[in-house]
């Protein structure tokens, strides 16, 4: 089962040749640049999400007194 999922050197060369035939030599650098920008943007987004999750609760802004729900008055 594991041998079906493994990609060796011949398969990689075959895929590279197909890509070269489909897009041509001039378009491949542009495609790689676009893929690189996409990966970089994705990583930056993931880092931002991690920072927001790890941010301590004290850093969050407190709710104004006016926005807090009313407290129940004790019965007399």
């Amino acid at each position: 089962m594991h041998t079906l999922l493994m990609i060796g050197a011949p398969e990689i060369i075959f895929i590279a040749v197909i890509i070269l035939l489909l897009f041509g030599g001039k378009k491949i650098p542009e495609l790689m640049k676009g893929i690189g920008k996409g990966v970089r943007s994705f990583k930056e987004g993931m880092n931002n999400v991690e920072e927001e999750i790890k941010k301590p609760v004290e850093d969050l802004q407190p709710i104004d007194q006016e926005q807090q729900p009313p407290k129940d008055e004790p019965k007399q």
Side-chain angles (χ1 to χ4, degrees):
M1 173 94 172
H2 293 288
T3 57
L4 295 176
L5 300 175
M6 307 252 330
I7 297 178
E11 290 86 3
I12 292 174
I13 292 171
F14 179 73
I15 292 169
V17 168
I18 296 298
I19 290 173
L20 185 63
L21 289 174
L22 289 174
F23 296 107
K26 294 181 181 180
K27 288 285 185 179
I28 291 177
E30 294 174 22
L31 289 172
M32 294 300 122
K33 188 183 294 185
I35 290 171
K37 286 181 181 180
V39 169
R40 188 178 316 118
S41 174
F42 179 76
K43 285 182 179 180
E44 287 174 2
M46 290 299 293
N47 288 337
N48 290 341
V49 168
E50 261 185 46
E51 289 173 8
E52 288 294 321
I53 290 173
K54 291 180 180 179
K55 188 182 287 187
V57 178
E58 294 89 30
D59 289 349
L60 298 176
Q61 295 179 356
I63 300 175
D64 291 338
Q65 293 294 331
E66 298 170 359
Q67 293 178 346
Q68 289 182 349
K71 296 180 181 178
D72 292 335
E73 294 180 14
K75 294 182 181 178
Q76 295 179 353

